[in-house]
Amino acid sequence: MDSARRPILFVSLPESGLANPLLVLAEELSRRNVPDLWFATDEPRRGDVKKTGVGSPVEFASTGEVVTELSAVTWDDAVYREVTQSSRFKAHRAVVRHSYKPGRHEEKFHKLAAVVDEVKPALMVIDCISAFAIELAISRKIPFVLSVPFVPSNVLTAFVPFTKGYTPRGFPVPHTGLPYPMTLPQRMSNALFKWRNLAMFLTPEMSKVVAEENRRRKAHGIGKLSLMTRIDRADLVLCNSIAELDYPFDIPEKIRLVGAMVPPLPEASQDDDVSRWLDEQSSVIYAGFGTITRLTQEQVDAMVEVTRRLEGRHQVLWKLPSEQQHMLPPKESLPANLRVESWVPSQLDVLAHPNVKVFFTHGGGNGFNEGVYFGKPLVVRPLWVDCYDQAARGRDFGISLTLDRPRDMDVDDVIDKLTRVLETPSFRENAERLGALQRAAGGRETAAELVLGHPALA
């Protein structure tokens, strides 16, 4: 490698929740005309990577087509139902079983290795779920920065007993949706979750998978790794949240809480139809349930009825994927206060609009932090795993309410939660206070300074 070159290689799985914060960071470095920027991800994000080159170019490096087992968006309906079931542990176990596939990780490892051979990065910036990229960085002794789109305890809490963690004993295990502190029954449930996790890996089926994973890693000279290895071996961890949105604990110094990764706004022209419509309203509920959510006919019907009951008081802007819109009633029978869009030019522009008063969301890491960033209180319909954790924190910090029966989308429950959040000033006040802290954390600008200050780029 030319001694003057210091390539930075971003690596992410294609999911919006993982890739989007890194795309914002890559764009910020491009805006500063930082040379030798590369972004490795799956083919469907090629166009998104190219768009980040607003100053210096950001080169796309392909890790191939999407691997179904590693991408929740591509899971079939049976798997989707399993990973979004009401039992927190069974849903968590289903996610592990469907995504913990050593052979498929090995495919990505080799594709990324070819990229690394070409780019010869001085530094890698990796989303925290891309284990294959972390393994490659460790095996090649390449310094790496970890990107975390969740609250910090999500990656600092042990999932099984007797293993290393950075949070206090008795802290809620990720994906349990439990509060902190807990009642005695909740503490028992939390401990049981850890023990059931351990038991899951001791079954004959999972033992074979673990043995295969250990053989694979040994072949790359890595050895056994734990979930905390990604933290311990990272030079720096960029967390897209703030301490005030997590339960209190001592956060390691290498974890830098930079807040939500938001690009310069507006992202889209303010002369588009959605923006003009928002300008004309006085109170809008924005409903967006992420890229993974697949609503049923009953849930779509419930959402339409919720909107109908809000007519005369609030407008509803509902981002509903085009492939699910066939479940809507005929256009002429939709409530007059409902606007359905399959795509909005920018969700961030919508959340930033002053006439949007509440965000009805699935509670994923990006949406949760972005909603707070713009000072919007939330109503949360948790979808799976980490969504329950964000929902618990939002409720406890007074910025959101959670549906009692998220899977049912009970109309009375939704109306109750939306009305309480809209009409109780403390929800907005708390969201605005935490939003100010989010913005003060610096987001993309702070993250860019931290990356550029890494010794590998000196």
Side-chain angles (χ1 to χ4, degrees):
M1 181 178 70
D2 185 332
S3 61
R5 290 190 64 221
R6 294 289 185 273
I8 301 173
L9 175 62
F10 293 88
V11 186
S12 179
L13 288 168
E15 267 73 14
S16 296
L18 300 171
N20 287 1
L22 288 180
L23 289 168
V24 171
L25 179 53
E27 183 182 280
E28 177 64 20
L29 295 183
S30 170
R31 187 175 294 107
R32 299 182 183 205
N33 290 309
V34 175
D36 288 321
L37 299 175
W38 293 73
F39 201 115
T41 188
D42 292 353
E43 280 293 336
R45 301 307 298 263
R46 179 186 287 269
D48 296 319
V49 170
K50 290 296 184 183
K51 290 176 185 175
T52 64
V54 296
S56 56
V58 180
E59 301 294 342
F60 174 77
S62 179
T63 53
E65 296 300 329
V66 174
V67 171
T68 298
E69 291 88 341
L70 305 183
S71 177
V73 177
T74 63
W75 288 343
D76 62 31
D77 289 341
V79 173
Y80 176 82
R81 287 191 296 272
E82 194 175 357
V83 301
T84 59
Q85 63 183 291
S86 58
S87 166
R88 309 280 171 81
F89 177 75
K90 290 180 180 178
H92 164 80
R93 181 177 62 189
V95 171
V96 173
R97 286 179 171 174
H98 287 293
S99 60
Y100 189 36
K101 304 290 185 181
R104 306 316 302 269
H105 281 273
E106 183 71 0
E107 294 173 24
K108 291 298 179 187
F109 182 98
H110 284 293
K111 288 187 180 296
L112 183 60
V115 171
V116 166
D117 289 340
E118 176 187 359
V119 175
K120 297 180 172 57
L123 181 68
M124 295 173 69
V125 185
I126 306 170
D127 90 68
C128 64
I129 303 300
S130 292
F132 65 92
I134 296 168
E135 292 168 1
L136 183 61
I138 291 172
S139 69
R140 297 287 186 91
K141 296 181 171 58
I142 302 170
F144 69 94
V145 173
L146 206 62
S147 171
V148 176
F150 316 111
V151 293
S153 62
N154 181 282
V155 294
L156 296 174
T157 304
F159 277 88
V160 296
F162 314 124
T163 58
K164 178 181 179 179
Y166 290 92
T167 53
R169 185 176 181 180
F171 200 88
V173 180
H175 307 171
T176 60
L178 289 168
Y180 188 67
M182 304 179 200
T183 63
L184 178 59
Q186 288 170 336
R187 291 199 300 271
M188 294 174 65
S189 176
N190 194 52
L192 181 60
F193 197 96
K194 280 191 173 185
W195 283 103
R196 293 180 76 183
N197 256 326
L198 178 62
M200 171 175 63
F201 284 96
L202 297 177
T203 63
E205 176 190 3
M206 288 301 289
S207 293
K208 291 179 181 178
V209 176
V210 171
E212 179 186 354
E213 180 79 318
N214 289 336
R215 286 193 298 270
R216 187 182 70 81
R217 288 172 171 168
K218 185 177 180 181
H220 296 300
I222 302 171
K224 294 183 179 180
L225 301 178
S226 71
L227 275 176
M228 293 304 146
T229 301
R230 57 184 173 171
I231 302 297
D232 296 338
R233 298 293 291 271
D235 292 89
L236 175 69
V237 180
L238 299 175
C239 182
N240 307 145
S241 190
I242 54 175
E244 292 81 2
L245 282 174
D246 205 350
Y247 298 125
F249 67 99
D250 292 331
I251 298 175
E253 188 176 348
K254 71 164 63 176
I255 313 291
R256 302 302 296 268
L257 300 166
V258 300
M261 299 292 279
V262 175
L265 297 183
E267 279 192 296
S269 166
Q270 297 304 283
D271 193 38
D272 66 271
D273 197 34
V274 172
S275 296
R276 290 194 298 272
W277 180 83
L278 287 171
D279 290 339
E280 295 167 357
Q281 314 309 319
S282 59
S283 178
V284 177
I285 297 164
Y286 174 55
F289 302 117
T291 56
I292 297 173
T293 298
R294 305 175 196 176
L295 297 177
T296 64
Q297 182 66 63
E298 293 75 15
Q299 291 162 349
V300 169
D301 292 342
M303 189 65 191
V304 172
E305 179 60 23
V306 164
T307 307
R308 196 181 310 280
R309 293 197 196 179
L310 293 169
E311 197 164 358
R313 292 179 290 157
H314 307 284
Q315 304 287 320
V316 175
L317 174 60
W318 184 10
K319 183 182 175 185
L320 180 66
S322 55
E323 60 269 21
Q324 298 180 41
Q325 290 190 17
H326 69 277
M327 293 182 282
L328 289 168
K331 189 173 182 179
E332 58 271 16
S333 63
L334 288 174
N337 61 327
L338 174 62
R339 182 180 181 118
V340 178
E341 296 285 345
S342 60
W343 175 83
V344 293
S346 166
Q347 175 166 287
L348 297 174
D349 287 344
V350 170
L351 290 172
H353 199 285
N355 293 341
V356 172
K357 304 301 182 184
V358 67
F359 184 19
F360 189 13
T361 173
H362 67 303
N366 279 351
F368 178 77
N369 281 295
E370 289 165 359
V372 175
Y373 181 94
F374 293 107
K376 309 298 183 184
L378 316 169
V379 171
V380 185
R381 177 187 180 264
L383 175 66
W384 66 339
V385 291
D386 68 295
C387 300
Y388 287 98
D389 302 326
Q390 273 96 229
R393 286 154 176 79
R395 178 199 62 216
D396 289 350
F397 301 148
I399 59 173
S400 68
L401 290 175
T402 305
L403 299 189
D404 293 334
R405 299 186 299 277
R407 288 169 58 82
D408 296 339
M409 192 85 89
D410 180 77
V411 173
D412 291 333
D413 184 28
V414 176
I415 292 289
D416 172 61
K417 298 302 191 303
L418 286 171
T419 302
R420 286 164 58 189
V421 168
L422 284 162
E423 297 181 359
T424 307
S426 62
F427 286 103
R428 175 182 53 78
E429 292 164 359
N430 289 329
E432 289 178 348
R433 175 179 57 83
L434 290 168
L437 294 174
Q438 276 267 28
R439 295 188 294 276
R444 70 180 193 279
E445 294 179 339
T446 297
E449 294 293 340
L450 289 168
V451 169
L452 294 175
H454 193 286
L457 303 179

